[in-house]
Amino acid sequence: MENNWRDQPTDDWRAFGVSILGTFMSTLDAGIVNTALPTIGAGFGAGVSGVQWVVAGYFLVISCLLPLFGRMGDMYGRKRMVQFGFFIFAAASAGCGAAPTLWALVGARLVQGLGAAMLMANGPGIIMTAFPGPTRGRALGLVGLTVGLGSLAGPGLGGVVIQAMGWRSVFYLTVPVALLGLALAQRFLPRQERRQDETLDLAGAALFAIGMVGLLLAVTRGHEWGWTSAAVLCGLCVALGAFSGFALWERRCPHPMIDLSLFRVWPFLSGNVAAFLAFMAMFCNAILLPFYLHDMLGLEPGVMGLVLSSLPLAMAVSAPASGYLSERVNFATLTSCGLFIMCCGLAQLALLSPQSALWRVYLGQMTVGFGAGVFMSPNNNSVLSSAPQEKVGLVGGVLALVRNVGMVSGIALAITVFEGCQAREFSLGAPAQEAFMAGFRAALFTGAALACAAGGLSLLRRRLFAQNPKRSDCTALPEDL
């Protein structure tokens, strides 16, 4: 079918600025809120089991709604969705700051997740529209820089703000940023005509949301409830049933929420699988390294923050350079190199001991971050370029969903491997330090194996693309150097 979808001309870098403002706000907010959780718990007299929903509820809403809001951006216009996203995020942030109880705070965070999902799902589509030519790679590279800087600034800024003005201020801080984004979106984003020939697939959206809730509850709580417990098995059964019904419905629906035929496009499928494995690998490290730094090396929180910040700093340096190179070098070469670099960094961290020098931790973190930056920009470019223009919002939502589910799955896998190996060592009479290190090494080597598997898939992508460059709708890519 001929593509009649057209955007009005726009100033590309101004539109890009609107997109990355939403990205920066979302990543910054995540880091700040995580820093505030102990203070929030103390303020409301709540334990970890209650406070965790401040983060978990936000994440669940985002994961359930990303494809829907990407699809709505394609249908109704990304400008409208981004404006609604900024407005909802601002209002919900104010509600979070004024929350009188913990569960009022959780409710406001659910609404905040609604706004964040609108921004995250439509940001890539804005960039794809604003940069249709060869400069798209460097624009996507700058998105990686923005994510790195937001992740880098969040924990440190959160600590300063909380100490000076209390935990409520971290939510009020994002209100003026979101209102600024709303004003800039109104001024600089192009208007799009509503697609009158399509309807929104609400039944598919409901089935998808039910499946995601069941899956994520089972994955995130599996190590706590037990992987064979009734609650986890029930969640997995709900997910299996809902996703099966979703797949059947999407094949029959005249205007499906997710066009399943996209998964027959090799760059789309392989790029999303590689991203899922890469984020699982990264978060095997992210969840356990803080415990190593605190329990094994005895570092103070300030020093721990500096060590952990080295990963997003390296990512912020490598992502723009990789994005620029993706305009000239076969994307599969860059993604493979990035994933194998990440694998080496995780293996290096897995070889740490309680007596290791701190520079080895810095080196491992920066190696992982450098590899992640090299991988992400060209991978996102290849996935987004593999879809027709009228579906780029949906593809952006799927990319963000894969990232979030990969993070959660990586954390769950790391904790499961860590606790299993630690329990085995304890049963053999090993002291606590040895048991910890056995579980730590096993989990990080698992992450390294995931990164290596993703790198192998990317090498296969390069070989298959070279053999048959017309196997997808992907834009033409330069031959590798």
Side-chain angles (χ1 to χ4, degrees):
M1 180 180 295
E2 183 181 357
N3 178 18
N4 296 319
W5 180 255
R6 292 290 184 270
D7 296 319
Q8 295 183 4
T10 181
D11 186 313
D12 48 8
W13 287 108
R14 290 180 180 180
F16 173 80
V18 175
S19 176
I20 65 167
L21 180 63
T23 300
F24 182 78
M25 182 179 67
S26 300
T27 55
L28 182 72
D29 183 76
I32 289 179
V33 171
N34 287 340
T35 305
L37 289 180
T39 310
I40 292 172
F44 287 123
V48 175
S49 60
V51 174
Q52 69 176 345
W53 287 104
V54 175
V55 174
Y58 178 77
F59 173 80
L60 278 172
V61 169
I62 291 176
S63 299
C64 290
L65 297 178
L66 277 170
L68 174 64
F69 287 146
R71 175 66 174 150
M72 290 177 68
D74 290 336
M75 290 178 59
Y76 305 130
R78 285 179 279 279
K79 178 175 181 175
R80 294 185 181 93
M81 297 304 298
V82 168
Q83 287 179 303
F84 278 125
F86 276 123
F87 176 79
I88 292 171
F89 199 97
S93 296
C96 289
T101 65
L102 175 63
W103 295 111
L105 173 60
V106 171
R109 282 284 282 174
L110 296 178
V111 180
Q112 196 180 44
L114 187 74
M118 291 180 176
L119 296 172
M120 294 170 65
N122 288 280
I126 292 172
I127 294 174
M128 292 290 290
T129 300
F131 294 88
T135 57
R136 179 182 296 163
R138 68 192 73 179
L140 291 171
L142 289 173
V143 174
L145 171 63
T146 303
V147 171
L149 291 178
S151 302
L152 180 67
L157 181 60
V160 172
V161 171
I162 293 167
Q163 186 171 350
M165 295 180 287
W167 67 264
R168 294 181 185 274
S169 61
V170 303
F171 294 107
Y172 290 130
L173 188 68
T174 58
V175 174
V177 179
L179 293 177
L180 173 63
L182 176 61
L184 293 177
Q186 174 63 29
R187 175 69 179 83
F188 296 125
L189 292 186
R191 186 174 300 277
Q192 295 169 299
E193 296 298 325
R194 176 172 175 172
R195 296 177 67 91
Q196 301 291 342
D197 58 335
E198 296 186 7
T199 57
L200 192 61
D201 179 18
L202 294 178
L207 287 169
F208 182 84
I210 293 170
M212 285 304 303
V213 170
L215 175 64
L216 292 178
L217 284 178
V219 169
T220 55
R221 304 266 73 86
H223 62 276
E224 178 183 339
W225 297 340
W227 291 105
T228 58
S229 65
V232 170
L233 294 177
C234 180
L236 292 175
C237 288
V238 168
L240 179 62
F243 284 137
S244 298
F246 172 76
L248 292 173
W249 172 257
E250 295 299 276
R251 289 190 178 95
R252 297 174 53 193
C253 182
H255 304 295
M257 184 182 75
I258 297 179
D259 184 356
L260 298 180
S261 66
L262 285 172
F263 290 93
R264 295 198 295 269
V265 177
W266 175 243
F268 178 86
L269 174 61
S270 59
N272 276 298
V273 173
F276 176 75
L277 295 174
F279 279 102
M280 282 189 70
M282 286 179 62
F283 275 77
C284 286
N285 168 59
I287 190 64
L288 291 178
L289 190 65
F291 292 96
Y292 167 82
L293 296 174
H294 182 269
D295 296 345
M296 296 294 104
L297 299 188
L299 299 184
E300 296 295 325
V303 181
M304 288 175 58
L306 290 174
V307 175
L308 296 174
S309 296
S310 59
L311 190 153
L313 178 61
M315 179 179 160
V317 171
S318 62
S322 179
Y324 180 79
L325 286 174
S326 71
E327 300 167 8
R328 291 160 173 78
V329 179
N330 188 301
F331 72 86
T333 299
L334 291 172
T335 56
S336 301
C337 289
L339 289 164
F340 287 130
I341 292 171
M342 189 190 305
C343 174
C344 292
L346 290 167
Q348 181 181 344
L349 290 171
L351 295 174
L352 294 172
S353 71
Q355 294 78 35
S356 294
L358 193 57
W359 67 264
R360 289 185 58 189
V361 186
Y362 273 109
L363 181 60
Q365 280 286 92
M366 295 188 74
T367 303
V368 174
F370 184 84
V374 171
F375 162 75
M376 287 180 191
S377 300
N379 190 70
N380 290 348
N381 196 353
S382 71
V383 173
L384 289 165
S385 299
S386 68
Q389 182 67 25
E390 72 272 14
K391 296 179 180 178
V392 72
L394 168 63
V395 174
V398 172
L399 262 176
L401 174 66
V402 166
R403 179 178 68 242
N404 289 341
V405 176
M407 292 175 182
V408 172
S409 301
I411 291 172
L413 177 63
I415 293 176
T416 300
V417 172
F418 172 79
E419 291 183 345
C421 291
Q422 190 178 45
R424 184 188 62 192
E425 293 297 315
F426 278 137
S427 68
L428 297 175
Q433 188 179 75
E434 290 183 13
F436 176 92
M437 291 307 303
F440 177 79
R441 292 190 184 104
L444 264 69
F445 275 129
T446 300
L450 291 171
C452 186
L457 175 61
S458 282
L459 282 178
L460 181 63
R461 293 165 72 189
R462 182 184 183 281
R463 187 166 70 95
L464 290 179
F465 185 85
Q467 291 174 352
N468 187 5
K470 296 182 179 180
R471 67 184 291 122
S472 77
D473 295 323
C474 188
T475 56
L477 296 167
E479 292 298 326
D480 191 21
L481 296 179

